[in-house]
Amino acid sequence: DRMNEELPDDAARPTSDPPTIDGVALTGGQDDPLVATEAADRTEMWRNDDHLVYDDVWAVGNGAVYMNHQTGSESSVVAYESATGDVRWERALGESAYPWWVDGERVYSSWTNVTAMRTDDGSVIWTSDYPQTETGFPAPRAVVTNDTSVFVSFASGFGSGD
């Protein structure tokens, strides 16, 4: 709360509550499927079995919700159209990647590296090249941006979750 009080009114803030975009309310979590309902009456519009990395990390913007999609041991980032649930694009990055932040026309994912992708077609703009260690740590976990920089937080080991 203190951080949010100190930020200017027009500053971007991480979304902790399930978002509503263009009249579509989204719910989901790390143990719950992604569900889209009409914001006005909560009539279900669409759903899928993708999960958030943590219950309070939502990457939404440019008319889509961005999710990690697991198929066995394979991981990809998927952009779902918020109004229909149709797949706008899907991008396999060769490692686990969870969408964390949307800034204008870019969506940022992280877990073992940070990747910036275009929100319209999923093309990769850049990917970091952090060295992988035997334990997997330190590793980039969260991303937030401003007009000129990308800020990345690192985990030094496994935590207790949310």
Side-chain angles (χ1 to χ4, degrees):
D1 288 339
R2 185 173 147 231
M3 177 198 77
N4 285 332
E5 290 171 8
E6 293 175 4
L7 290 172
D9 290 341
D10 63 347
R13 291 173 173 82
T15 302
S16 59
D17 295 324
T20 298
I21 44 176
D22 301 326
V24 178
L26 300 170
T27 58
Q30 64 193 80
D31 298 317
D32 302 309
L34 174 62
V35 179
T37 59
E38 292 274 354
D41 63 10
R42 297 297 188 200
T43 302
E44 186 173 311
M45 300 168 64
W46 58 270
R47 71 171 42 229
N48 67 44
D49 290 330
D50 286 347
H51 301 271
L52 300 172
V53 63
Y54 296 114
D55 287 341
D56 56 358
V57 175
W58 288 91
V60 296
N62 201 6
V65 56
Y66 305 87
M67 301 290 288
N68 173 271
H69 179 75
Q70 293 287 139
T71 305
S73 63
E74 300 295 316
S75 174
S76 60
V77 175
V78 180
Y80 293 103
E81 297 289 342
S82 60
T84 63
D86 293 341
V87 173
R88 178 184 293 178
W89 53 260
E90 183 171 2
R91 176 76 53 209
L93 298 174
E95 57 189 25
S96 291
Y98 294 91
W100 284 90
W101 186 254
V102 178
D103 183 4
E105 296 177 0
R106 294 182 182 189
V107 58
Y108 297 86
S109 68
S110 69
W111 198 254
T112 53
N113 273 292
V114 177
T115 301
M117 295 165 280
R118 291 178 46 94
T119 58
D120 62 350
D121 64 9
S123 58
V124 173
I125 300 165
W126 57 263
T127 299
S128 65
D129 189 20
Y130 294 112
Q132 300 302 300
T133 64
E134 198 172 296
T135 64
F137 296 102
R141 286 299 190 257
V143 177
V144 69
T145 61
N146 66 16
D147 290 341
T148 60
S149 302
V150 177
F151 302 91
V152 180
S153 68
F154 283 78
S156 58
F158 288 108
S160 60
D162 284 342

Short mmCIF file of all heavy atoms in Angstrom, two decimals, residues 50-108:
data_model
loop_
_atom_site.label_atom_id
_atom_site.label_comp_id
_atom_site.label_asym_id
_atom_site.label_seq_id
_atom_site.Cartn_x
_atom_site.Cartn_y
_atom_site.Cartn_z
N ASP A 50 -5.61 -23.50 -18.57
CA ASP A 50 -4.35 -22.84 -18.24
C ASP A 50 -4.44 -22.20 -16.86
O ASP A 50 -5.50 -21.80 -16.40
CB ASP A 50 -4.00 -21.78 -19.28
CG ASP A 50 -3.53 -22.41 -20.58
OD1 ASP A 50 -3.25 -23.63 -20.60
OD2 ASP A 50 -3.45 -21.69 -21.58
N HIS A 51 -3.27 -22.11 -16.22
CA HIS A 51 -3.19 -21.59 -14.85
C HIS A 51 -2.20 -20.44 -14.78
O HIS A 51 -1.27 -20.36 -15.57
CB HIS A 51 -2.74 -22.69 -13.89
CG HIS A 51 -3.64 -23.88 -13.88
ND1 HIS A 51 -4.72 -23.97 -13.04
CD2 HIS A 51 -3.65 -25.01 -14.63
CE1 HIS A 51 -5.34 -25.12 -13.26
NE2 HIS A 51 -4.71 -25.76 -14.22
N LEU A 52 -2.41 -19.57 -13.80
CA LEU A 52 -1.47 -18.50 -13.52
C LEU A 52 -0.25 -19.07 -12.78
O LEU A 52 -0.36 -20.09 -12.10
CB LEU A 52 -2.12 -17.42 -12.64
CG LEU A 52 -3.35 -16.74 -13.21
CD1 LEU A 52 -3.99 -15.84 -12.14
CD2 LEU A 52 -2.99 -15.93 -14.43
N VAL A 53 0.87 -18.39 -12.89
CA VAL A 53 2.05 -18.82 -12.14
C VAL A 53 1.81 -18.65 -10.64
O VAL A 53 2.19 -19.50 -9.84
CB VAL A 53 3.32 -18.08 -12.61
CG1 VAL A 53 3.22 -16.59 -12.36
CG2 VAL A 53 4.56 -18.66 -11.94
N TYR A 54 1.16 -17.57 -10.24
CA TYR A 54 0.73 -17.31 -8.87
C TYR A 54 -0.68 -16.73 -8.94
O TYR A 54 -1.05 -16.13 -9.95
CB TYR A 54 1.67 -16.33 -8.15
CG TYR A 54 3.07 -16.86 -7.97
CD1 TYR A 54 4.14 -16.27 -8.62
CD2 TYR A 54 3.31 -17.96 -7.16
CE1 TYR A 54 5.43 -16.77 -8.46
CE2 TYR A 54 4.59 -18.46 -6.99
CZ TYR A 54 5.64 -17.86 -7.65
OH TYR A 54 6.91 -18.36 -7.49
N ASP A 55 -1.44 -16.87 -7.88
CA ASP A 55 -2.84 -16.43 -7.90
C ASP A 55 -3.02 -14.96 -8.22
O ASP A 55 -4.06 -14.56 -8.71
CB ASP A 55 -3.51 -16.73 -6.56
CG ASP A 55 -3.78 -18.22 -6.38
OD1 ASP A 55 -3.79 -18.96 -7.38
OD2 ASP A 55 -3.99 -18.64 -5.23
N ASP A 56 -2.02 -14.13 -7.96
CA ASP A 56 -2.19 -12.70 -8.11
C ASP A 56 -1.31 -12.08 -9.20
O ASP A 56 -1.05 -10.89 -9.19
CB ASP A 56 -1.95 -12.00 -6.77
CG ASP A 56 -0.57 -12.34 -6.19
OD1 ASP A 56 0.17 -13.14 -6.81
OD2 ASP A 56 -0.24 -11.80 -5.13
N VAL A 57 -0.87 -12.87 -10.16
CA VAL A 57 -0.05 -12.34 -11.25
C VAL A 57 -0.84 -12.46 -12.55
O VAL A 57 -1.03 -13.56 -13.07
CB VAL A 57 1.30 -13.10 -11.37
CG1 VAL A 57 2.07 -12.61 -12.59
CG2 VAL A 57 2.12 -12.94 -10.10
N TRP A 58 -1.34 -11.33 -13.04
CA TRP A 58 -2.13 -11.27 -14.26
C TRP A 58 -1.40 -10.46 -15.31
O TRP A 58 -0.98 -9.33 -15.04
CB TRP A 58 -3.49 -10.62 -14.00
CG TRP A 58 -4.41 -11.47 -13.21
CD1 TRP A 58 -4.56 -11.49 -11.85
CD2 TRP A 58 -5.31 -12.44 -13.72
NE1 TRP A 58 -5.50 -12.41 -11.49
CE2 TRP A 58 -5.98 -13.02 -12.63
CE3 TRP A 58 -5.63 -12.89 -15.00
CZ2 TRP A 58 -6.94 -14.01 -12.77
CZ3 TRP A 58 -6.58 -13.88 -15.15
CH2 TRP A 58 -7.23 -14.42 -14.04
N ALA A 59 -1.26 -11.00 -16.50
CA ALA A 59 -0.69 -10.27 -17.63
C ALA A 59 -1.83 -10.07 -18.64
O ALA A 59 -2.21 -11.00 -19.35
CB ALA A 59 0.46 -11.05 -18.26
N VAL A 60 -2.39 -8.87 -18.66
CA VAL A 60 -3.50 -8.56 -19.55
C VAL A 60 -3.22 -7.23 -20.24
O VAL A 60 -2.56 -6.36 -19.69
CB VAL A 60 -4.86 -8.48 -18.82
CG1 VAL A 60 -5.24 -9.82 -18.24
CG2 VAL A 60 -4.83 -7.43 -17.72
N GLY A 61 -3.71 -7.09 -21.44
CA GLY A 61 -3.57 -5.84 -22.17
C GLY A 61 -3.72 -6.06 -23.66
O GLY A 61 -3.62 -7.19 -24.15
N ASN A 62 -4.00 -4.99 -24.36
CA ASN A 62 -4.15 -5.04 -25.81
C ASN A 62 -5.20 -6.08 -26.22
O ASN A 62 -5.03 -6.80 -27.19
CB ASN A 62 -2.79 -5.31 -26.47
CG ASN A 62 -2.76 -4.87 -27.92
OD1 ASN A 62 -3.70 -4.26 -28.42
ND2 ASN A 62 -1.69 -5.19 -28.60
N GLY A 63 -6.29 -6.18 -25.40
CA GLY A 63 -7.40 -7.05 -25.75
C GLY A 63 -7.18 -8.53 -25.51
O GLY A 63 -7.94 -9.36 -26.02
N ALA A 64 -6.15 -8.89 -24.73
CA ALA A 64 -5.86 -10.31 -24.52
C ALA A 64 -5.40 -10.57 -23.09
O ALA A 64 -4.98 -9.65 -22.38
CB ALA A 64 -4.79 -10.77 -25.50
N VAL A 65 -5.48 -11.83 -22.73
CA VAL A 65 -4.88 -12.31 -21.48
C VAL A 65 -3.79 -13.29 -21.90
O VAL A 65 -3.97 -14.11 -22.80
CB VAL A 65 -5.93 -12.97 -20.54
CG1 VAL A 65 -6.66 -14.10 -21.21
CG2 VAL A 65 -5.27 -13.44 -19.25
N TYR A 66 -2.62 -13.16 -21.27
CA TYR A 66 -1.44 -13.94 -21.64
C TYR A 66 -1.18 -14.96 -20.55
O TYR A 66 -1.11 -14.61 -19.37
CB TYR A 66 -0.24 -13.01 -21.85
CG TYR A 66 -0.57 -11.93 -22.85
CD1 TYR A 66 -1.18 -10.74 -22.45
CD2 TYR A 66 -0.33 -12.12 -24.20
CE1 TYR A 66 -1.54 -9.77 -23.37
CE2 TYR A 66 -0.69 -11.15 -25.13
CZ TYR A 66 -1.29 -9.97 -24.71
OH TYR A 66 -1.64 -9.02 -25.62
N MET A 67 -1.06 -16.23 -20.95
CA MET A 67 -0.95 -17.33 -20.00
C MET A 67 0.19 -18.26 -20.37
O MET A 67 0.60 -18.33 -21.54
CB MET A 67 -2.26 -18.14 -20.00
CG MET A 67 -3.51 -17.39 -19.65
SD MET A 67 -3.62 -16.90 -17.93
CE MET A 67 -3.93 -18.48 -17.15
N ASN A 68 0.66 -19.02 -19.39
CA ASN A 68 1.56 -20.12 -19.64
C ASN A 68 0.69 -21.34 -19.97
O ASN A 68 -0.32 -21.57 -19.32
CB ASN A 68 2.42 -20.41 -18.40
CG ASN A 68 3.26 -21.66 -18.58
OD1 ASN A 68 2.81 -22.76 -18.26
ND2 ASN A 68 4.45 -21.49 -19.09
N HIS A 69 1.07 -22.07 -20.99
CA HIS A 69 0.34 -23.27 -21.39
C HIS A 69 1.29 -24.45 -21.30
O HIS A 69 2.36 -24.44 -21.91
CB HIS A 69 -0.20 -23.12 -22.81
CG HIS A 69 -0.94 -24.30 -23.30
ND1 HIS A 69 -2.21 -24.61 -22.88
CD2 HIS A 69 -0.59 -25.28 -24.17
CE1 HIS A 69 -2.62 -25.71 -23.47
NE2 HIS A 69 -1.64 -26.14 -24.26
N GLN A 70 0.92 -25.46 -20.52
CA GLN A 70 1.73 -26.65 -20.34
C GLN A 70 1.12 -27.81 -21.10
O GLN A 70 -0.07 -28.07 -20.98
CB GLN A 70 1.82 -27.03 -18.86
CG GLN A 70 2.57 -26.06 -17.99
CD GLN A 70 4.06 -26.09 -18.19
OE1 GLN A 70 4.68 -25.05 -18.21
NE2 GLN A 70 4.66 -27.23 -18.35
N THR A 71 1.93 -28.51 -21.87
CA THR A 71 1.54 -29.75 -22.52
C THR A 71 2.63 -30.75 -22.17
O THR A 71 3.70 -30.73 -22.76
CB THR A 71 1.44 -29.59 -24.05
OG1 THR A 71 0.55 -28.52 -24.34
CG2 THR A 71 0.94 -30.86 -24.70
N GLY A 72 2.36 -31.58 -21.15
CA GLY A 72 3.39 -32.48 -20.65
C GLY A 72 4.53 -31.66 -20.09
O GLY A 72 4.33 -30.79 -19.25
N SER A 73 5.74 -31.86 -20.60
CA SER A 73 6.90 -31.10 -20.13
C SER A 73 7.14 -29.86 -20.99
O SER A 73 8.06 -29.09 -20.72
CB SER A 73 8.14 -31.98 -20.12
OG SER A 73 8.44 -32.42 -21.44
N GLU A 74 6.35 -29.67 -22.03
CA GLU A 74 6.49 -28.51 -22.91
C GLU A 74 5.75 -27.31 -22.36
O GLU A 74 4.64 -27.43 -21.85
CB GLU A 74 5.98 -28.83 -24.31
CG GLU A 74 6.70 -29.98 -24.99
CD GLU A 74 8.16 -29.68 -25.26
OE1 GLU A 74 8.46 -28.56 -25.73
OE2 GLU A 74 9.00 -30.56 -25.00
N SER A 75 6.35 -26.14 -22.50
CA SER A 75 5.76 -24.90 -21.99
C SER A 75 5.74 -23.86 -23.10
O SER A 75 6.69 -23.75 -23.88
CB SER A 75 6.62 -24.39 -20.82
OG SER A 75 6.18 -23.13 -20.39
N SER A 76 4.64 -23.11 -23.19
CA SER A 76 4.56 -22.02 -24.16
C SER A 76 3.79 -20.86 -23.54
O SER A 76 3.12 -21.01 -22.52
CB SER A 76 3.88 -22.49 -25.45
OG SER A 76 2.56 -22.93 -25.19
N VAL A 77 3.90 -19.71 -24.16
CA VAL A 77 3.12 -18.54 -23.79
C VAL A 77 2.01 -18.40 -24.83
O VAL A 77 2.27 -18.51 -26.03
CB VAL A 77 3.98 -17.27 -23.74
CG1 VAL A 77 3.13 -16.04 -23.48
CG2 VAL A 77 5.07 -17.40 -22.68
N VAL A 78 0.78 -18.19 -24.35
CA VAL A 78 -0.37 -18.09 -25.24
C VAL A 78 -1.09 -16.77 -24.97
O VAL A 78 -1.27 -16.38 -23.82
CB VAL A 78 -1.36 -19.26 -25.03
CG1 VAL A 78 -2.55 -19.14 -25.96
CG2 VAL A 78 -0.68 -20.60 -25.21
N ALA A 79 -1.50 -16.11 -26.04
CA ALA A 79 -2.35 -14.93 -25.94
C ALA A 79 -3.76 -15.34 -26.32
O ALA A 79 -3.99 -15.83 -27.43
CB ALA A 79 -1.86 -13.83 -26.89
N TYR A 80 -4.70 -15.18 -25.38
CA TYR A 80 -6.11 -15.49 -25.63
C TYR A 80 -6.87 -14.18 -25.81
O TYR A 80 -6.75 -13.27 -24.99
CB TYR A 80 -6.72 -16.25 -24.46
CG TYR A 80 -6.15 -17.64 -24.27
CD1 TYR A 80 -5.23 -17.89 -23.27
CD2 TYR A 80 -6.54 -18.68 -25.11
CE1 TYR A 80 -4.71 -19.16 -23.10
CE2 TYR A 80 -6.02 -19.95 -24.94
CZ TYR A 80 -5.10 -20.18 -23.93
OH TYR A 80 -4.58 -21.44 -23.76
N GLU A 81 -7.68 -14.11 -26.87
CA GLU A 81 -8.55 -12.96 -27.07
C GLU A 81 -9.51 -12.90 -25.88
O GLU A 81 -10.17 -13.89 -25.57
CB GLU A 81 -9.33 -13.07 -28.37
CG GLU A 81 -8.47 -13.10 -29.62
CD GLU A 81 -7.82 -11.77 -29.93
OE1 GLU A 81 -8.28 -10.71 -29.41
OE2 GLU A 81 -6.86 -11.77 -30.71
N SER A 82 -9.59 -11.75 -25.23
CA SER A 82 -10.40 -11.67 -24.01
C SER A 82 -11.89 -11.88 -24.29
O SER A 82 -12.59 -12.48 -23.48
CB SER A 82 -10.18 -10.34 -23.29
OG SER A 82 -10.54 -9.26 -24.12
N ALA A 83 -12.38 -11.44 -25.42
CA ALA A 83 -13.82 -11.53 -25.70
C ALA A 83 -14.26 -12.94 -26.09
O ALA A 83 -15.40 -13.32 -25.83
CB ALA A 83 -14.19 -10.56 -26.81
N THR A 84 -13.37 -13.73 -26.71
CA THR A 84 -13.79 -15.02 -27.26
C THR A 84 -13.04 -16.22 -26.71
O THR A 84 -13.51 -17.35 -26.84
CB THR A 84 -13.60 -15.02 -28.78
OG1 THR A 84 -12.20 -14.88 -29.06
CG2 THR A 84 -14.40 -13.91 -29.45
N GLY A 85 -11.84 -16.00 -26.19
CA GLY A 85 -10.99 -17.11 -25.77
C GLY A 85 -10.22 -17.72 -26.91
O GLY A 85 -9.46 -18.67 -26.72
N ASP A 86 -10.39 -17.17 -28.12
CA ASP A 86 -9.62 -17.68 -29.26
C ASP A 86 -8.13 -17.41 -29.05
O ASP A 86 -7.74 -16.39 -28.47
CB ASP A 86 -10.06 -17.00 -30.56
CG ASP A 86 -11.48 -17.37 -30.97
OD1 ASP A 86 -12.00 -18.40 -30.49
OD2 ASP A 86 -12.07 -16.60 -31.76
N VAL A 87 -7.31 -18.31 -29.56
CA VAL A 87 -5.87 -18.14 -29.46
C VAL A 87 -5.43 -17.11 -30.50
O VAL A 87 -5.62 -17.31 -31.70
CB VAL A 87 -5.12 -19.48 -29.68
CG1 VAL A 87 -3.61 -19.26 -29.74
CG2 VAL A 87 -5.49 -20.47 -28.59
N ARG A 88 -4.88 -16.00 -30.02
CA ARG A 88 -4.31 -14.99 -30.92
C ARG A 88 -2.97 -15.49 -31.43
O ARG A 88 -2.66 -15.36 -32.60
CB ARG A 88 -4.12 -13.67 -30.17
CG ARG A 88 -3.51 -12.57 -31.01
CD ARG A 88 -3.25 -11.31 -30.22
NE ARG A 88 -4.49 -10.68 -29.79
CZ ARG A 88 -4.54 -9.58 -29.06
NH1 ARG A 88 -3.42 -8.98 -28.68
NH2 ARG A 88 -5.69 -9.06 -28.70
N TRP A 89 -2.15 -16.03 -30.54
CA TRP A 89 -0.87 -16.63 -30.90
C TRP A 89 -0.38 -17.51 -29.76
O TRP A 89 -0.84 -17.39 -28.64
CB TRP A 89 0.18 -15.59 -31.27
CG TRP A 89 0.43 -14.50 -30.26
CD1 TRP A 89 -0.07 -13.22 -30.30
CD2 TRP A 89 1.24 -14.55 -29.06
NE1 TRP A 89 0.36 -12.50 -29.21
CE2 TRP A 89 1.18 -13.30 -28.44
CE3 TRP A 89 2.00 -15.55 -28.47
CZ2 TRP A 89 1.84 -13.01 -27.25
CZ3 TRP A 89 2.68 -15.26 -27.27
CH2 TRP A 89 2.59 -13.99 -26.69
N GLU A 90 0.54 -18.41 -30.08
CA GLU A 90 1.20 -19.26 -29.09
C GLU A 90 2.67 -19.32 -29.44
O GLU A 90 3.03 -19.52 -30.60
CB GLU A 90 0.59 -20.66 -29.07
CG GLU A 90 1.21 -21.56 -28.01
CD GLU A 90 0.46 -22.87 -27.83
OE1 GLU A 90 -0.53 -23.11 -28.56
OE2 GLU A 90 0.86 -23.65 -26.96
N ARG A 91 3.52 -19.14 -28.43
CA ARG A 91 4.96 -19.11 -28.67
C ARG A 91 5.68 -20.03 -27.68
O ARG A 91 5.64 -19.82 -26.48
CB ARG A 91 5.48 -17.67 -28.50
CG ARG A 91 6.97 -17.50 -28.62
CD ARG A 91 7.48 -17.55 -30.03
NE ARG A 91 6.77 -16.60 -30.85
CZ ARG A 91 6.57 -16.75 -32.16
NH1 ARG A 91 7.06 -17.78 -32.78
NH2 ARG A 91 5.90 -15.86 -32.85
N ALA A 92 6.31 -21.08 -28.21
CA ALA A 92 7.17 -21.94 -27.39
C ALA A 92 8.53 -21.26 -27.29
O ALA A 92 9.08 -20.84 -28.31
CB ALA A 92 7.30 -23.32 -28.02
N LEU A 93 9.06 -21.15 -26.07
CA LEU A 93 10.32 -20.46 -25.88
C LEU A 93 11.46 -21.40 -25.51
O LEU A 93 12.58 -20.97 -25.27
CB LEU A 93 10.17 -19.37 -24.80
CG LEU A 93 9.16 -18.27 -25.15
CD1 LEU A 93 8.98 -17.32 -23.98
CD2 LEU A 93 9.60 -17.51 -26.39
N GLY A 94 11.18 -22.70 -25.44
CA GLY A 94 12.23 -23.67 -25.16
C GLY A 94 12.54 -23.84 -23.68
O GLY A 94 13.43 -24.58 -23.31
N GLU A 95 11.84 -23.12 -22.83
CA GLU A 95 12.00 -23.22 -21.38
C GLU A 95 10.74 -22.69 -20.73
O GLU A 95 9.90 -22.09 -21.41
CB GLU A 95 13.22 -22.42 -20.91
CG GLU A 95 13.15 -20.96 -21.29
CD GLU A 95 14.44 -20.21 -21.01
OE1 GLU A 95 15.51 -20.82 -20.96
OE2 GLU A 95 14.35 -18.99 -20.84
N SER A 96 10.60 -22.92 -19.44
CA SER A 96 9.42 -22.39 -18.75
C SER A 96 9.41 -20.88 -18.84
O SER A 96 10.44 -20.23 -18.66
CB SER A 96 9.43 -22.80 -17.28
OG SER A 96 9.22 -24.19 -17.17
N ALA A 97 8.25 -20.33 -19.16
CA ALA A 97 8.11 -18.88 -19.29
C ALA A 97 6.70 -18.50 -18.88
O ALA A 97 5.74 -19.00 -19.46
CB ALA A 97 8.38 -18.45 -20.72
N TYR A 98 6.60 -17.65 -17.89
CA TYR A 98 5.30 -17.22 -17.40
C TYR A 98 5.11 -15.73 -17.68
O TYR A 98 5.95 -14.92 -17.31
CB TYR A 98 5.19 -17.46 -15.88
CG TYR A 98 5.21 -18.92 -15.54
CD1 TYR A 98 6.41 -19.57 -15.27
CD2 TYR A 98 4.04 -19.66 -15.51
CE1 TYR A 98 6.44 -20.92 -14.96
CE2 TYR A 98 4.05 -21.01 -15.21
CZ TYR A 98 5.27 -21.63 -14.94
OH TYR A 98 5.28 -22.96 -14.63
N PRO A 99 4.02 -15.36 -18.34
CA PRO A 99 3.76 -13.95 -18.59
C PRO A 99 3.57 -13.20 -17.27
O PRO A 99 2.82 -13.64 -16.40
CB PRO A 99 2.46 -13.96 -19.40
CG PRO A 99 2.36 -15.34 -19.95
CD PRO A 99 3.00 -16.22 -18.93
N TRP A 100 4.26 -12.07 -17.14
CA TRP A 100 4.21 -11.28 -15.90
C TRP A 100 3.67 -9.88 -16.12
O TRP A 100 3.11 -9.29 -15.21
CB TRP A 100 5.61 -11.15 -15.30
CG TRP A 100 6.09 -12.36 -14.63
CD1 TRP A 100 6.79 -13.38 -15.22
CD2 TRP A 100 5.91 -12.73 -13.26
NE1 TRP A 100 7.05 -14.35 -14.30
CE2 TRP A 100 6.52 -13.97 -13.08
CE3 TRP A 100 5.30 -12.12 -12.18
CZ2 TRP A 100 6.55 -14.62 -11.86
CZ3 TRP A 100 5.33 -12.77 -10.96
CH2 TRP A 100 5.95 -14.00 -10.81
N TRP A 101 3.90 -9.29 -17.29
CA TRP A 101 3.65 -7.87 -17.42
C TRP A 101 3.35 -7.52 -18.87
O TRP A 101 4.00 -8.04 -19.77
CB TRP A 101 4.89 -7.11 -16.96
CG TRP A 101 4.74 -5.63 -16.90
CD1 TRP A 101 5.28 -4.73 -17.78
CD2 TRP A 101 4.03 -4.86 -15.93
NE1 TRP A 101 4.94 -3.45 -17.40
CE2 TRP A 101 4.18 -3.51 -16.26
CE3 TRP A 101 3.28 -5.18 -14.80
CZ2 TRP A 101 3.62 -2.49 -15.51
CZ3 TRP A 101 2.72 -4.17 -14.06
CH2 TRP A 101 2.89 -2.85 -14.41
N VAL A 102 2.37 -6.67 -19.08
CA VAL A 102 2.07 -6.14 -20.40
C VAL A 102 2.25 -4.64 -20.35
O VAL A 102 1.74 -3.97 -19.45
CB VAL A 102 0.62 -6.49 -20.84
CG1 VAL A 102 0.32 -5.90 -22.21
CG2 VAL A 102 0.41 -7.99 -20.85
N ASP A 103 3.02 -4.13 -21.29
CA ASP A 103 3.29 -2.70 -21.37
C ASP A 103 3.07 -2.28 -22.82
O ASP A 103 3.93 -2.52 -23.67
CB ASP A 103 4.71 -2.41 -20.92
CG ASP A 103 5.03 -0.93 -20.90
OD1 ASP A 103 4.13 -0.10 -21.16
OD2 ASP A 103 6.19 -0.57 -20.63
N GLY A 104 1.92 -1.71 -23.10
CA GLY A 104 1.63 -1.28 -24.47
C GLY A 104 1.58 -2.47 -25.41
O GLY A 104 0.75 -3.36 -25.26
N GLU A 105 2.49 -2.51 -26.36
CA GLU A 105 2.50 -3.55 -27.37
C GLU A 105 3.47 -4.68 -27.05
O GLU A 105 3.81 -5.48 -27.92
CB GLU A 105 2.83 -2.93 -28.73
CG GLU A 105 1.75 -1.95 -29.18
CD GLU A 105 2.09 -1.27 -30.48
OE1 GLU A 105 3.16 -1.55 -31.07
OE2 GLU A 105 1.26 -0.46 -30.93
N ARG A 106 3.94 -4.75 -25.80
CA ARG A 106 4.87 -5.80 -25.40
C ARG A 106 4.34 -6.56 -24.19
O ARG A 106 3.77 -5.98 -23.28
CB ARG A 106 6.23 -5.22 -25.04
CG ARG A 106 6.94 -4.61 -26.21
CD ARG A 106 8.30 -4.08 -25.83
NE ARG A 106 8.91 -3.47 -26.98
CZ ARG A 106 10.16 -3.07 -27.03
NH1 ARG A 106 10.93 -3.21 -25.96
NH2 ARG A 106 10.65 -2.53 -28.11
N VAL A 107 4.56 -7.88 -24.23
CA VAL A 107 4.29 -8.72 -23.07
C VAL A 107 5.64 -9.33 -22.66
O VAL A 107 6.42 -9.73 -23.50
CB VAL A 107 3.22 -9.81 -23.36
CG1 VAL A 107 3.61 -10.71 -24.51
CG2 VAL A 107 2.93 -10.61 -22.11
N TYR A 108 5.88 -9.34 -21.35
CA TYR A 108 7.14 -9.85 -20.82
C TYR A 108 6.88 -11.13 -20.03
O TYR A 108 5.96 -11.18 -19.22
CB TYR A 108 7.79 -8.82 -19.88
CG TYR A 108 8.17 -7.55 -20.60
CD1 TYR A 108 7.24 -6.53 -20.77
CD2 TYR A 108 9.44 -7.38 -21.12
CE1 TYR A 108 7.58 -5.36 -21.44
CE2 TYR A 108 9.79 -6.22 -21.79
CZ TYR A 108 8.85 -5.22 -21.95
OH TYR A 108 9.19 -4.06 -22.61
#
